[in-house]
Amino acid sequence: MSNTSDNTTHFGFETVREEEKAGRVQGVFNSVASKYDIMNDVMSVGIHRVWKDAMMDWLAPRSGQRLLDVAGGTGDISFRFLKRAGHGHSTVLDLTRPMLEEGRKRAEAEQMADSLDWVTGDAMKLPFKDNTFDVYTISFGIRNVTRPQEALNEAYRVLRPGGRLMVLEFSQLPNDGLQKLYDLYSFNVIPRMGQLIANDYDSYQYLVESIRNFPDQETFLGMVKQAGFENAKYRNLSMGIACLHSGWKI
């Protein structure tokens, strides 16, 4: 009797078996880890920094809070959170060890070492007890999860009552003409940048395809509510190129 599942999912525009996806995603991020932060700047013309600051503005970190930063990779969100909070703790969780290693090398990681943990783990099966964290963030990571609904359910489980979920992800533009222009840029420019900067065309082709496959704002809002979150809302950033979803465990 086979232990493999017949369920399929998307890996970019490919259809793959669910049990294959995590390994394929790990392969992508193993490949791009050392150039990931540079590529984020190039791909978004630096705007990803503005989006992450907008995330912190809405989140309004408070002193003493415990953050779980899932798919936290190189630590961008955790560093911002800890600086804003003044005093707190962040656990950075990522499926890909090389991404965590890149995060540990950053100067901020040394300055904040006492306030940071780095954990290799799966968003769909978090290695933490119920009701552990005050805040859960996932930034440009949930579209790479095999079953995003399970990741949201896990977020709800590990948050304390009164805890906050915030998801930053690429999304869809509300105007078809603008979306077509954005797609032209994404599919024609970003993989070539990946080739030029990271010597890796295929990984960036996957990243672009994964953005187009991700649910739109309203569909994802429904998934946040399905996980049990109350007062769930979203805010478009840069006309919907990216989007922030927020919810509370009440």
Side-chain angles (χ1 to χ4, degrees), residues 142-155:
I142 201 159
R143 75 181 190 281
N144 298 311
V145 175
T146 303
R147 295 183 294 278
Q149 187 66 60
E150 288 187 20
L152 292 170
N153 296 346
E154 277 287 89

Side-chain angles (χ1 to χ4, degrees), residues 194-209:
Q195 181 65 42
L196 192 66
I197 294 169
N199 195 29
D200 188 342
Y201 185 97
D202 290 345
S203 292
Y204 287 91
Q205 180 73 19
Y206 159 73
L207 292 173
V208 170
E209 291 175 2

Side-chain angles (χ1 to χ4, degrees), residues 5-234:
S5 154
D6 289 331
N7 293 334
T8 59
T9 186
H10 293 291
F11 179 78
F13 288 165
E14 272 187 82
T15 299
V16 299
R17 292 204 310 273
E18 283 189 342
E19 60 271 16
E20 284 181 40
K21 179 163 180 174
R24 299 277 294 271
V25 168
Q26 276 184 290
V28 167
F29 287 97
N30 283 339
S31 175
V32 304
S34 65
K35 303 278 187 170
Y36 186 70
D37 292 321
I38 296 167
M39 278 300 304
N40 275 344
D41 277 327
V42 174
M43 285 196 305
S44 71
V45 202
I47 295 171
H48 77 101
R49 297 173 185 273
V50 176
W51 295 338
K52 289 169 180 173
D53 286 340
M55 184 184 197
M56 289 300 117
D57 289 344
W58 198 10
L59 194 55
R62 298 193 307 277
S63 181
Q65 286 186 318
R66 294 184 65 85
L67 167 69
L68 175 60
D69 182 19
V70 174
T74 57
D76 252 9
I77 297 300
S78 290
F79 300 147
R80 281 175 166 78
F81 179 90
L82 291 170
K83 285 173 185 172
R84 295 273 189 119
H87 166 70
H89 190 277
S90 177
T91 299
V92 185
L93 179 134
D94 203 282
L95 192 64
T96 311
R97 187 177 295 275
M99 291 287 284
L100 295 171
E101 293 299 332
E102 287 301 317
R104 278 198 184 100
K105 291 176 188 173
R106 292 175 59 165
E108 298 101 322
E110 290 183 24
Q111 295 160 14
M112 303 175 185
D114 292 343
S115 302
L116 282 164
D117 290 327
W118 305 84
V119 177
T120 307
D122 185 344
M124 298 189 298
K125 195 173 182 180
L126 295 172
F128 308 111
K129 293 179 181 177
D130 297 359
N131 308 315
T132 300
F133 298 95
D134 301 298
V135 181
Y136 174 112
T137 56
I138 184 165
S139 173
F140 304 120
I142 201 159
R143 75 181 190 281
N144 298 311
V145 175
T146 303
R147 295 183 294 278
Q149 187 66 60
E150 288 187 20
L152 292 170
N153 296 346
E154 277 287 89
Y156 188 87
R157 180 183 68 78
V158 301
L159 280 170
R160 293 173 179 156
R164 179 92 177 270
L165 165 85
M166 191 159 287
V167 181
L168 173 59
E169 190 52 88
F170 290 108
S171 198
Q172 313 295 334
L173 278 76
N175 178 292
D176 287 344
L178 287 174
Q179 184 66 55
K180 284 176 184 172
L181 284 173
Y182 176 57
D183 285 348
L184 275 172
Y185 163 75
S186 298
F187 285 99
N188 289 291
V189 177
I190 290 175
R192 289 186 174 94
M193 286 182 179
Q195 181 65 42
L196 192 66
I197 294 169
N199 195 29
D200 188 342
Y201 185 97
D202 290 345
S203 292
Y204 287 91
Q205 180 73 19
Y206 159 73
L207 292 173
V208 170
E209 291 175 2
S210 69
I211 292 167
R212 290 301 289 123
N213 273 333
F214 193 70
D216 66 19
Q217 289 90 325
E218 286 290 338
T219 304
F220 190 71
L221 183 66
M223 294 168 67
V224 171
K225 291 176 179 176
Q226 186 180 327
F229 290 99
E230 304 281 346
N231 197 24
K233 298 175 181 174
Y234 67 84

